[in-house]
Amino acid sequence: MTKLIILGSSNAIPDVHHENTHMVLAGEGRTVLIDCADNPILRLPRVGVEFDSLTDLILTHFHPDHVSGVPLLLMNMWLMGRRRPLNIYGLHHTLDRIEGLMGDYSWDEWPNFFPVVFHRLPAGEMTSVLDCEEFRIFSSPVRHLIPAIGLRIELKRNEKVIAYSCDTEPCAPLIRLAAGADVLIHEAAGGALGHSSAAEAGDNARQAEVGELYLIHYPTGKYASGDLVAEARHFFQGPVSLAEDFLTLDFG
Ligand SMILES: [Zn+2]
């Protein structure tokens, strides 16, 4: 059983019902956290995922609403006696800064710290991030304000494909990354520089010929406006939904 669980669905300004965008891919052998906005120790138990079962952490880019939870995540794992290694994947731009941030916390002086293995990803299209028994994960550069990657997850058992846009303007590498995916999870922060509107997300879903579209990283609370699903449906004929916190997508 492989599930993708949305742990947060908001853009950079969360509200009480929507944490910043991050999610977990829970498989049988691997549990992959995708971005770490908040401290996931509070949300993982609510979705039945053991905190210490996290094997991998993919960081899409070094913006606070995607990585600010990393120091606390690592500290809590250490304080709870973690011994098993944690793999962290990201672009050089991202991981250099994460290491710098942890250096500022003097983590090298934390006794008996568990092994953290950094995997620096090249910025090329369809870079292999992780290849295990259950799934393959690829990254491609997308067009944001700083270096950022979108992800493609291919399940080996049933050939289901999930794509995640990350924060991006519409761009060709994203269309290629998402091509033919069963599910596209696409940001809808609005049409500002480095982001996409719901209409653009719909248009990207159409171009990539995906099966289904979930909008994420959208304005929430007092910043929410308009009918994002209707805007996306204007361009994409398939099913469109808002990804909400704790939404679970079951991929069998
Ligand atoms: Zn961002």
Side-chain angles (χ1 to χ4, degrees):
M1 186 78 82
T2 310
K3 294 183 283 191
L4 185 76
I5 306 166
I6 305 298
L7 297 174
S9 57
S10 177
N11 69 357
I13 308 173
D15 75 358
V16 274
H17 303 296
H18 303 82
E19 185 51 85
N20 292 139
T21 294
H22 61 309
M23 58 197 83
V24 64
L25 178 68
E28 275 155 24
R30 306 287 277 253
T31 306
V32 184
L33 185 65
I34 300 172
D35 283 338
C36 187
D38 186 29
N39 186 352
I41 194 171
L42 298 174
R43 297 210 149 194
L44 288 172
R46 280 182 63 173
V47 296
V49 176
E50 184 96 25
F51 184 57
D52 199 44
S53 73
L54 288 180
T55 51
D56 305 273
L57 168 62
I58 301 174
L59 299 173
T60 60
H61 65 297
F62 194 76
H63 270 160
D65 55 320
H66 294 260
V67 300
S68 65
V70 173
L72 196 51
L73 172 87
L74 295 176
M75 188 190 211
N76 282 178
M77 284 177 158
W78 169 58
L79 292 173
M80 292 166 77
R82 184 179 175 108
R83 298 308 321 150
R84 61 199 297 209
L86 178 72
N87 296 296
I88 305 184
Y89 312 79
L91 295 168
H92 289 252
H93 182 276
T94 311
L95 297 191
D96 289 353
R97 283 159 182 77
I98 288 292
E99 282 202 271
L101 186 61
M102 292 308 296
D104 288 343
Y105 286 114
S106 306
W107 73 327
D108 52 331
E109 294 168 19
W110 300 357
N112 302 315
F113 198 80
F114 60 93
V116 171
V117 186
F118 288 104
H119 302 263
R120 283 175 164 73
L121 305 172
E125 282 189 43
M126 289 296 282
T127 294
S128 176
V129 178
L130 199 162
D131 187 349
C132 63
E133 215 174 291
E134 277 177 275
F135 42 74
R136 267 183 225 99
I137 304 181
F138 301 92
S139 66
S140 285
V142 290
R143 194 184 298 160
H144 192 39
L145 305 167
I146 58 170
I149 47 172
L151 300 173
R152 179 184 179 92
I153 302 160
E154 298 182 351
L155 305 193
K156 293 184 179 176
R157 187 173 34 228
N158 54 17
E159 300 187 340
K160 294 273 186 203
V161 176
I162 310 155
Y164 169 45
S165 69
C166 178
D167 292 10
T168 185
E169 293 174 22
C171 62
L174 172 66
I175 306 299
R176 291 191 283 269
L177 182 73
D182 295 279
V183 170
L184 171 62
I185 300 169
H186 198 299
E187 75 121 302
L193 191 67
H195 288 285
S196 299
S197 65
E200 288 170 327
D203 197 37
N204 286 345
R206 179 190 60 78
Q207 290 182 57
E209 300 183 342
V210 304
E212 190 172 1
L213 172 64
Y214 284 90
L215 301 173
I216 201 166
H217 201 278
Y218 47 82
T220 57
K222 65 179 181 179
Y223 299 101
S225 73
D227 185 341
L228 300 181
V229 169
E231 288 170 33
R233 278 198 184 125
H234 193 68
F235 290 86
F236 179 61
Q237 306 302 311
V240 182
S241 317
L242 273 190
E244 300 277 358
D245 293 28
F246 303 114
L247 170 76
T248 298
L249 301 174
D250 210 322
F251 292 97

